[in-house]
């Protein structure tokens, strides 16, 4: 008995997506092609692999057993193909991202890039956007994902997604009256001047009570009730709420996350990595 990989891939798709129609759409083939591959697979193993319940499908006992091996076989096959198709691209690329970017997502991109281009080397940095921008300007980085405002966009930037900036505070420390204690990221970024200008324009007095180097430190200070803070919506977590008093303040501008290369002609490695980052992270 010989089991072909594409039939196993189709079988996995049918199970994972709950039917042949969705599997056909995912695999970009016709539904009849999916049905034929499943039928052929069942004929080869000599057993029913799927149980039909109305419009849905689920694996039989034999199907569940085969599914375990199918995932391993398809995974090994695809890994071998990627390795054998790996490019001759060589060189080192230095890339930076702010901590708001999911470590799991960006590390998956970099890991896959290394597998496909095994002769390349990646140096990865995590820092605040203003620091990464400075490193790009000094050619200390080749590629960076940055958080910027619309008026700081460059024509060559690749926009990944847009993220609103919002005011947050602890539920039991809403500071709905009087001067506002302000939590910031310190000097250098654009959050602090934005927050100060917004409060000044609204006639709300404030004092800076905390400056932290990272989103984690700012979030921790806000959760502890030390004041209110401006954060990108994607980085808000924990027990923070939107600051109720912000309803009387004009909305803050949206921020954008972009992929940007250092000045000058980017290397082939940097260009390829930016393409992969955009493909994986662009909303």
């Amino acid at each position: 008995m010989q089991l072909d990989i594409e039939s196993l891939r189709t079988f996995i798709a049918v199970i994972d997506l709950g039917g042949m129609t969705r599997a056909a759409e995912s695999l970009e083939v016709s539904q009849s092609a999916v049905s034929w591959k499943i039928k052929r697979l069942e004929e080869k193993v000599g057993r029913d692999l799927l149980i039909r319940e109305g419009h849905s499908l689920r694996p039989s006992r034999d199907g569940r057993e085969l599914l375990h091996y199918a995932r391993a076989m398809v995974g090994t096959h695809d890994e071998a193909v990627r390795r054998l198709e790996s490019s001759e691209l060589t060189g080192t690329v230095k890339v930076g991202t702010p901590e708001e970017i999911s470590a799991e997502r960006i590390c998956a991109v970099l890991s896959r890039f290394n597998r496909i281009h095994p002769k390349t080397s990646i140096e990865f940095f995590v820092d605040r956007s203003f620091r990464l921008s400075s490193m790009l300007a000094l050619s200390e980085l080749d590629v960076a994902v940055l958080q910027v405002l619309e008026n700081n966009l460059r024509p060559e930037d690749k926009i990944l997604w847009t993220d609103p900036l919002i005011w947050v505070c602890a539920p039991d420390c809403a500071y709905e009256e009087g001067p506002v204690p302000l939590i910031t990221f310190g000097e250098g970024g654009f959050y602090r001047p934005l927050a100060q200008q917004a409060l000044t324009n609204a006639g709300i007095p404030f004092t800076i009570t905390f400056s932290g180097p990272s989103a984690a430190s700012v979030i921790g200070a806000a959760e502890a009730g030390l004041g209110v803070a401006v954060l990108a919506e994607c980085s808000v977590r924990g027990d923070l709420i939107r600051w109720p008093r912000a309803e009387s303040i004009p909305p803050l501008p949206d921020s954008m996350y972009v992929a940007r290369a250092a000045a000058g002609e980017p290397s082939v490695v940097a260009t390829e990595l930016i393409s992969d980052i955009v493909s994986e992270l662009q909303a």
Side-chain angles (χ1 to χ4, degrees), residues 10-227:
T10 301
F11 176 62
I12 293 170
V14 170
I15 297 301
D16 287 349
L17 299 175
M20 296 193 182
T21 301
R22 291 179 179 175
E25 292 173 352
S26 175
L27 298 171
E28 298 183 346
V29 297
S30 67
Q31 186 172 340
S32 60
V34 171
S35 298
W36 178 80
K37 287 182 179 180
I38 295 299
K39 180 180 179 181
R40 182 183 176 193
L41 187 60
E42 289 182 322
E43 288 175 351
K44 281 191 174 183
V45 301
R47 304 176 190 183
D48 291 334
L49 300 174
L50 296 172
I51 297 174
R52 292 155 179 82
E53 296 178 334
H55 296 292
S56 64
L57 296 170
R58 63 181 177 87
S60 66
R61 183 176 64 181
D62 292 321
R64 287 195 300 273
E65 185 173 355
L66 176 62
L67 184 62
H68 168 75
Y69 294 106
R71 293 193 193 280
M73 292 167 68
V74 171
T76 301
H77 170 273
D78 290 352
E79 183 67 24
V81 170
R82 284 194 296 269
R83 180 64 185 88
L84 293 172
E85 289 183 342
S86 63
S87 73
E88 294 301 310
L89 199 62
T90 61
T92 297
V93 60
K94 297 178 180 180
V95 57
T97 71
E99 64 175 323
E100 292 88 348
I101 307 296
S102 166
E104 182 178 354
R105 292 183 68 192
I106 191 65
C107 287
V109 174
L110 301 183
S111 176
R112 184 161 47 252
F113 187 87
N114 265 153
R115 289 199 303 271
I116 296 173
H117 309 290
K119 296 182 181 179
T120 63
S121 175
I122 295 176
E123 293 183 34
F124 184 32
F125 302 81
V126 177
D127 212 324
R128 286 181 287 176
S129 287
F130 82 89
R131 173 62 183 142
L132 297 174
S133 182
S134 297
M135 293 175 73
L136 273 180
L138 296 171
S139 296
E140 294 174 356
L141 290 177
D142 301 300
V143 177
V145 175
L146 305 171
Q147 184 189 24
V148 301
L149 296 178
E150 186 174 7
N151 58 359
N152 291 321
L153 281 175
R154 298 179 181 177
E156 67 273 16
D157 285 342
K158 308 295 184 183
I159 299 175
L160 303 176
W161 72 87
T162 299
D163 198 22
L165 297 178
I166 61 174
W167 294 91
V168 297
C169 65
D172 54 349
C173 297
Y175 300 101
E176 298 191 51
E177 296 179 350
V180 174
L182 183 61
I183 297 169
T184 80
F185 286 84
E187 299 178 355
F190 58 80
Y191 284 22
R192 179 165 169 169
L194 272 180
Q196 291 176 315
Q197 191 62 56
L199 293 173
T200 299
N201 291 345
I204 299 176
F206 64 90
T207 57
I208 296 176
T209 57
F210 179 92
S211 292
S214 65
S217 63
V218 168
I219 289 171
E223 286 184 316
L226 298 185

Side-chain angles (χ1 to χ4, degrees), residues 244-260:
R245 200 168 167 185
E247 294 181 1
S248 62
I249 303 175
L252 295 166
D254 288 342
S255 65
M256 298 177 179
Y257 286 85
V258 303
R260 179 181 294 176

